[in-house]
Amino acid sequence: MCGRFSLTATPKELADIFGLLETEDFPARFNIAPTQPIIVVMSGERQRPGSNLPDRRALLVRWGLTPSWVKDPRDFPLLINARAETAAEKASFKAAMRHRRVLIPASGFYEWHRPSKESGEAPQAYWIKPRNGGIVAFAGLMETWSSADGSEVDTAAILTTHANARIGDVHDRMPVVINPEDYARWLDCRTQEPRDVADLLAPVDDDYFDVIAVSDRVNKVANTGADLQTPVHAVVRPAAKPKEPPANPQLSLF
């Protein structure tokens, strides 16, 4: 799963990277946790033919998707992640997979290697960031939940897939990464159905991310400084085989 991430880019940098018509003002954040506001990038209104204006916009939403049909969020689990293999068929996600796909910008994410209880070893936190720096775009889903009094809350979840070889010895899942050349296709919910973008829901290349051991200070939401990403020495972590992908990824979606 992906339970913490970071975004330290400026609004202007995001506007340039994602071609945004509108941007939200937000500070650099080093320890984004579930239920907190996150930035998502979504398709906006179509521009007139010949217009050079971008047609994407950024929106602040709550991290933790609540389907529109939920009556009381207090009685519903917090859905911070959605499994890419089954999202198109699950009641909580299938409408968003068809109509509300978004990109979730990040500078990287945190993951924990959790040894077996028998080993007696403590979990080790890792900061996982693009090897070449910059911003990564996670595949996301968005839903707007409406309460009985008419108020609305925009919510989102990050899609995950089986881990690649680089991440697999830390955890068996990782966020789905959408490459820049695929932004438009992923966000196009007008003409691109879930089956048309199923090929994008695969693990990113093994050499895309660096995996850096960091202190357990990231465990506490109250810790929000840049020092959370300072490397620390860690014992050699045991290798764990990532789960094998299905022979045909589309068969697991439909």
Side-chain angles (χ1 to χ4, degrees), residues 16 31 72 108 110 113 123 159 174 202 204 214 216 221 239 250:
D16 292 342
N31 195 10
D72 188 344
Y110 300 96
H113 172 65
L159 281 159
M174 67 182 298
V204 74
V214 294
D216 62 3
V221 178
Q250 294 193 20

Side-chain angles (χ1 to χ4, degrees), residues 5-6 10 39 54 60 84 119 124 132 138 161 164 175 192 200-201 216 223 226 239 247:
F5 70 98
S6 172
T10 66
I39 290 283
L60 277 173
S119 73
Q124 173 63 56
N132 296 324
F138 297 148
T161 185
N164 62 20
Q192 300 293 300
L200 302 180
L201 303 178
D216 62 3
N223 295 330

Side-chain angles (χ1 to χ4, degrees), residues 245-249 251:
N248 183 346
L251 293 180

Side-chain angles (χ1 to χ4, degrees), residues 69-172:
W69 42 263
V70 170
K71 293 183 178 180
D72 188 344
R74 293 173 296 183
D75 299 328
F76 194 78
L78 188 67
L79 303 177
I80 63 171
N81 293 156
R83 292 179 70 92
E85 297 90 339
T86 58
E89 62 191 34
K90 292 292 186 180
S92 296
F93 305 119
K94 63 182 181 180
M97 273 292 291
R98 178 62 186 89
H99 302 290
R100 289 172 290 279
R101 298 190 299 268
V102 298
L103 298 170
I104 299 178
S107 301
F109 67 102
Y110 300 96
E111 194 53 85
W112 286 260
H113 172 65
R114 304 186 187 279
S116 65
K117 292 181 180 179
E118 293 76 15
S119 73
E121 299 176 0
Q124 173 63 56
Y126 290 89
W127 164 236
I128 302 173
K129 67 177 184 66
R131 178 165 295 179
N132 296 324
I135 298 301
V136 59
F138 297 148
L141 303 175
M142 177 180 154
E143 279 283 10
T144 300
W145 180 80
S146 299
S147 67
D149 64 7
S151 60
E152 295 184 339
V153 181
D154 294 320
T155 67
I158 295 172
L159 281 159
T160 66
T161 185
H162 63 274
N164 62 20
R166 186 74 180 98
I167 310 299
D169 58 347
V170 175
H171 198 277
D172 63 355

Side-chain angles (χ1 to χ4, degrees), residues 12 14 28 45 49 52 83 91 102 107 116 149 151 154 177 181 191 198 213 219 232 240 247:
K12 184 181 184 306
L14 287 191
E45 298 296 327
N52 291 323
R83 292 179 70 92
V102 298
S107 301
S116 65
D149 64 7
S151 60
D154 294 320
V177 174
E181 61 269 24
T191 67
N219 297 0
V232 300

Side-chain angles (χ1 to χ4, degrees), residues 11-45:
K12 184 181 184 306
E13 288 172 332
L14 287 191
D16 292 342
I17 292 169
F18 292 98
L20 298 174
L21 179 61
E22 301 176 10
T23 56
E24 296 278 355
D25 191 17
F26 56 88
R29 297 167 66 198
F30 294 90
N31 195 10
I32 301 172
T35 76
Q36 293 181 350
I38 63 172
I39 290 283
V40 303
V41 174
M42 58 189 303
S43 289
E45 298 296 327

